[in-house]
Amino acid sequence: VQLQASGGGLVQAGGSLRLSCAASTHKFNLYSIGWFRQAPGKEREFVATISWRGGYTNYADSVKGRFTISRDNAQNTVYLQMNGLKSDDSAVYYCAARQGLSMRSTNDYDYWGQGTQVTVSS
């Protein structure tokens, strides 16, 4: 499975961005997808995850109520809508895939995209 994350950029605090994660597999609906982020000097951290059919989602406390994860299995794409962005949200954002249940740990994911940079200016 190959994943391509896109949609990052520079935005002012309080603004919005929508990230996309496109997958190159015809079995996309078998994979749970997670979004993670990594800021300079920090470990990669969980942001959000969505189950294979989209019926289950889970968020880090730091983004709950501001970010929304969704998926379109017909388009092999998962989205991360980010609203109310803060400077602390600045990081490289990665999407990852695993077969089975949605998980919050980086160790549970088998496939990773290349990352997309999000920079929030205050």
Side-chain angles (χ1 to χ4, degrees), residues 17-18 27 44 55 59-60 66 72 88 90 108 111 115-116:
L17 283 175
R18 188 177 79 157
K27 297 182 179 179
R44 193 168 297 188
Y59 299 89
R66 299 187 297 122
D72 183 345
D88 287 348
S90 295
D108 291 316
Y111 306 97
T116 184

Side-chain angles (χ1 to χ4, degrees), residues 3 6 9 11 13 15 18 20 29-30 33-34 40 42 55-56 70-71 73 77 87 100 103-104 109 121:
L3 302 172
S6 62
V11 64
R18 188 177 79 157
S20 298
N29 61 354
L30 297 182
I33 303 295
K42 295 186 177 181
Y56 171 82
S70 62
R71 68 188 295 158
N73 285 347
T77 303
S87 56
M103 305 295 282
R104 295 168 61 103
Y109 286 82
S121 63

Side-chain angles (χ1 to χ4, degrees), residues 82-121:
M82 306 187 296
N83 299 328
L85 284 162
K86 307 174 182 179
S87 56
D88 287 348
D89 295 319
S90 295
V92 177
Y93 283 70
Y94 300 89
C95 59
R98 70 182 307 275
Q99 289 196 19
L101 299 176
S102 291
M103 305 295 282
R104 295 168 61 103
S105 171
T106 57
N107 293 331
D108 291 316
Y109 286 82
D110 302 307
Y111 306 97
W112 290 83
Q114 86 292 355
T116 184
Q117 176 72 49
V118 171
T119 303
V120 183
S121 63

Side-chain angles (χ1 to χ4, degrees), residues 38-64:
Q38 188 167 19
K42 295 186 177 181
E43 292 188 353
R44 193 168 297 188
E45 65 175 6
F46 168 75
V47 175
T49 185
I50 189 166
S51 61
W52 53 337
R53 292 184 178 179
Y56 171 82
T57 58
N58 191 258
Y59 299 89
D61 288 344
S62 58
V63 307
K64 201 171 294 182

